[in-house]
Amino acid sequence: MFNTILPFGLNVMQIDLSAYLDFSTINWEKMKTATIQTLGMTAGSLVFVFILGLLLGLFLYETNGKNTAVAKGVFWFVSIFVNVFRSIPFIILIVLLIPVTKALVGSMVGPTAALPALIISAAPFYARMVEIGFREIDKGVIEAAEAMGASKFQIIWKVLLPESLPAIVSGITVTAISLIGYTAMAGIIGAGGLGNLAYLEGFQRNQMGVVLVATFVILVIVFTIQFIGDFAVKRIDKR
């Protein structure tokens, strides 16, 4: 047993290591509900992150280095958006977006309330990974498609996306794992999920077994996502 002062100012508590192994305090029904909420927040936001990130990455790739005023304007606008929202820490972003979240979902409490912040924080991150995936494509392949008279849409649909598919899948896997971490932070301010359960039921009530099990469940989810992502990349990567 040891005593420690935690850096939260208001909380000075005694931590007993044996408390981590006291599973009698765990409400398994709440653990199940929190797990479903975490999975729901991650899956719901991931769909929008994938679509928005893919579009932003495509805009960055297609407008970068172009000399037209429209292309320069689009590249400047998208770059600013991506760089700004990639730079803001998630816990600050979710507070800054409170008015937007209330306008969109009507509340700041619950799993749905976390979606706007999750999407806006993760989509720029994924957009950069998509842009990098497009840049890694052999220029000769694109030039060959142009020489055969392919339209811009055909080049995007039949060259860019298929050739960069392993990078796109690998990127969304990494982004999904980041979203799991974000949902844990969103839980601290009342958005539900395993982070919320670990903080309210575990930390604040000194039921460290709840914290340990919630952490273990998060790890299982992360490992599962990584396994599925790696398996998918191996199946589609023909290099």
Side-chain angles (χ1 to χ4, degrees):
M1 177 185 297
F2 63 90
N3 297 330
T4 185
I5 298 177
L6 298 175
F8 295 92
L10 298 177
N11 292 301
V12 179
M13 60 180 295
Q14 186 181 65
I15 295 179
D16 189 338
L17 288 178
S18 64
Y20 286 95
L21 301 178
D22 183 9
F23 302 130
S24 63
T25 57
I26 297 174
N27 184 323
W28 294 103
E29 191 60 34
K30 287 185 177 179
M31 187 67 68
K32 177 184 175 183
T33 300
T35 302
I36 294 173
Q37 288 173 336
T38 293
L39 292 173
M41 283 188 284
T42 303
S45 58
L46 196 62
V47 173
F48 293 97
V49 167
F50 178 75
I51 297 171
L52 185 58
L54 204 59
L55 290 175
L56 291 174
L58 186 59
F59 279 130
L60 287 171
Y61 174 78
E62 288 291 339
T63 57
N64 189 15
K66 300 293 175 61
N67 292 323
T68 65
V70 174
K72 288 182 178 179
V74 172
F75 180 76
W76 179 83
F77 178 78
V78 176
S79 292
I80 293 293
F81 176 84
V82 168
N83 291 338
V84 166
F85 285 101
R86 280 180 63 206
S87 305
I88 301 175
F90 179 74
I91 198 69
I92 296 175
L93 180 63
I94 200 170
V95 175
L96 290 174
L97 290 177
I98 285 177
V100 177
T101 301
K102 284 185 176 179
L104 291 175
V105 303
S107 173
M108 262 305 297
V109 179
T112 305
L115 293 182
L118 289 170
I119 295 168
I120 293 177
S121 65
F125 173 75
Y126 181 54
R128 284 297 185 191
M129 303 185 80
V130 170
E131 182 195 13
I132 293 172
F134 287 156
R135 286 182 179 179
E136 291 177 347
I137 299 174
D138 187 352
K139 298 295 183 185
V141 177
I142 299 174
E143 290 171 357
E146 291 174 341
M148 289 187 289
S151 65
K152 179 62 70 177
F153 177 79
Q154 289 173 324
I155 292 175
I156 293 172
W157 187 251
K158 296 185 177 181
V159 179
L160 286 180
L161 292 178
E163 291 293 326
S164 62
L165 195 56
I168 290 174
V169 174
S170 178
I172 200 64
T173 302
V174 174
T175 306
I177 291 173
S178 298
L179 281 171
I180 294 292
Y182 292 162
T183 62
M185 285 188 280
I188 291 177
I189 62 169
L194 291 165
N196 186 62
L197 183 71
Y199 181 70
L200 294 181
E201 299 287 333
F203 173 71
Q204 288 201 334
R205 297 184 181 183
N206 198 22
Q207 296 175 353
M208 304 310 291
V210 176
V211 178
L212 183 64
V213 173
T215 304
F216 177 76
V217 175
I218 290 173
L219 289 175
V220 170
I221 295 173
V222 168
F223 283 16
T224 302
I225 292 173
Q226 188 65 60
F227 174 79
I228 294 173
D230 291 344
F231 178 78
V233 170
K234 287 181 180 177
R235 296 281 294 182
I236 60 178
D237 192 354
K238 305 301 181 184
R239 292 173 292 183

